[in-house]
Amino acid sequence: MRLTSRRGTVRTAVLVTAVALPLALAAPAATAGTAAPAAPGVSDILAEAVSHLVKGQNVKKHLDALQAVAGANGGNRAVGTPGYDASLAYIRDKVTRAGYKVSTTDVEFPVKWEEFSPSVLQKVSPEAKTYANPTDFVTVTPSDGGDVTAEVQVVDPVIPPAPVPNTSTAGCESSDFAGFVPGRIALIQRGTCAFIDKATNAKAAGAAGVIFFNEGQPGRTDPFGFDIREWRFGFPIVITSTAVGLDLARDPGTVVHLKVDAKTTLGHAKNLIAESRYGAAGEVVMAGAHLDSVPAGPGINDNGSGSAAILETALKTAHLPTKNRLRFAWWAGEELGLLGSDQYVAGLSQAERDRIRLYLNFDMIASPNDVTFLYDGDDSDAEGSGPGPDGSSGIEKVFERYYGKRGLSYKGTDFDGRSDYGAFIANGIPSGGIFTGAEGIKTAEEAARFGGTVGQPYDPCYHDVCDTIANVNAAALDRNAKAVAYATARYAYDLTGIPDRNAAARAKAAAPARTPARGAAS
């Protein structure tokens, strides 16, 4: 046995002992299935100990390995390529050897969308009319194929269109579909929210198809092609000009024939999940990062940096007798639209979602011109999408205390939906994490606080061929990887401030069975 291996074993044993002793002296365990809160200060002490074990130089070794993988596989690690598969194999080997319970979940992603013949849009009644493709309407990519003749139902429009763009909220909320008759075609005006949100709400309401129409202001009247980044709606989708949309909305009971002759060819990839063998199974602390790069380059900052940081954290916590269960995830298909995390969460039962007490997301933590952005869990910055689910503000404060204690600056950033926390937030799971910036431009105020170059992107190689190992900020990688380890370990021992969404289910399961009264039917 090599000396370095023996030293590593000794360090791990010392830490395990340091962890076990205060846990043994802490308050008695709570009722079965729950984790007693850590003694005051113990969780922070243990988290600090774990953070000291995670070193930037070791995280960089994982990045070197991912760089080598990309170099041997066409220069990238994009989902659906040998580079992604080799990246997953590298991490799988590491966490398997460390003793984690390792599994994968399937991820579907679009490889090719084909439209075999022009789409058809016709008004059947009250008078017959055929609309021209592509003058009056175009097919939305990647619409499912379908041939539907049904009544249209306009959803919460602003008619006549408002003078200011992005005014209509049509279809943005499920409540917009109150009274929608399943089987009809939803007619939805363009406006403030994403088309995918409108179509998702239409699907939930039982729509047989969706016709979007442009909002109606100058420059927003013609049909246009776009990618809705979802292929599983199960019905045809087109977008029309404002004039056509208003024509279809004018007469109640209008019947339309909508036909799209198209098909999406799917590829298949895997998410990688590593779960600790320690801790309460109903108290899951989850940390995740997307593993795939864009096809243009090796993706070493985006997002080798986050993937490598949670890997090193997993290796250093593998044998710790934590109170709560640690679960690490490496997502596939983030660059294609958060596919891996979305499909993972969608595939969980409600009880399984409730066992995930919080989710920590790490997507780009070593940008060359970095700012330490922390996800704004309490919406204290009052920007963008609002606060995260209850408990997210506590996660933000844990990171703030970590950086503040070290005299390091940090700044809030909005949950803008661009990374894998999205599905967790949508399902009420408290979330937080670190982000060091992508294509955004560093301000003078940020340069004064964080250093770096004013007027330049946080990552000048974002989604580019130059996102190599040379694109990694070593200082940012080291301090932020330690913060990853700190927050993960801290919640592994103490979930104070995180709401227990599974408490009701546990109470019901722990309740004694009711004995039937004598003579009652059993």
Side-chain angles (χ1 to χ4, degrees), residues 205-294:
V210 165
I211 300 172
F212 295 118
F213 65 97
N214 214 339
E215 192 173 15
Q217 298 82 18
R220 294 168 70 88
T221 58
D222 295 334
F224 61 97
F226 67 91
D227 190 335
I228 200 168
R229 305 194 80 169
E230 176 57 73
W231 65 96
R232 294 163 296 182
F233 288 117
F235 48 62
I237 308 175
V238 298
I239 183 167
T240 75
S241 66
T242 305
V244 169
L246 296 178
D247 185 34
L248 295 177
R250 185 179 64 243
D251 299 314
T254 295
V255 175
V256 163
H257 174 219
L258 172 62
K259 178 183 177 183
V260 172
D261 181 18
K263 177 185 177 181
T264 299
T265 301
L266 298 179
H268 299 273
K270 301 285 187 182
N271 293 321
L272 181 67
I273 311 296
E275 185 158 315
S276 171
R277 300 179 185 274
Y278 303 97
E283 311 285 359
V284 175
V285 173
M286 194 164 185
H290 77 86
L291 184 57
D292 60 316
S293 75
V294 293

Side-chain angles (χ1 to χ4, degrees), residues 170-201:
C172 294
E173 304 292 338
S174 58
S175 58
D176 293 344
F177 291 83
F180 187 88
V181 178
R184 289 182 178 176
I185 297 171
L187 179 62
I188 311 175
Q189 188 175 26
R190 181 187 184 186
T192 59
C193 66
F195 287 110
I196 190 172
D197 295 336
K198 298 172 184 282
T200 298
N201 289 330

Side-chain angles (χ1 to χ4, degrees), residues 112 178 198 275 288 308 358 377 383 409 438-439 495:
K112 180 172 64 174
K198 298 172 184 282
E275 185 158 315
L358 72 151
E383 292 184 3
S409 293
E439 78 277 27
L495 288 167

Side-chain angles (χ1 to χ4, degrees), residues 59 100 111 119 135 145-146 151 181 186 204 210 254 311 317 335 369 417 422 439 449 476 505:
V59 180
Y100 282 90
V111 173
S119 296
T135 307
E151 185 176 330
V181 178
V210 165
T254 295
L311 172 57
T317 57
E335 298 291 5
N369 197 25
E439 78 277 27
R449 292 177 57 192

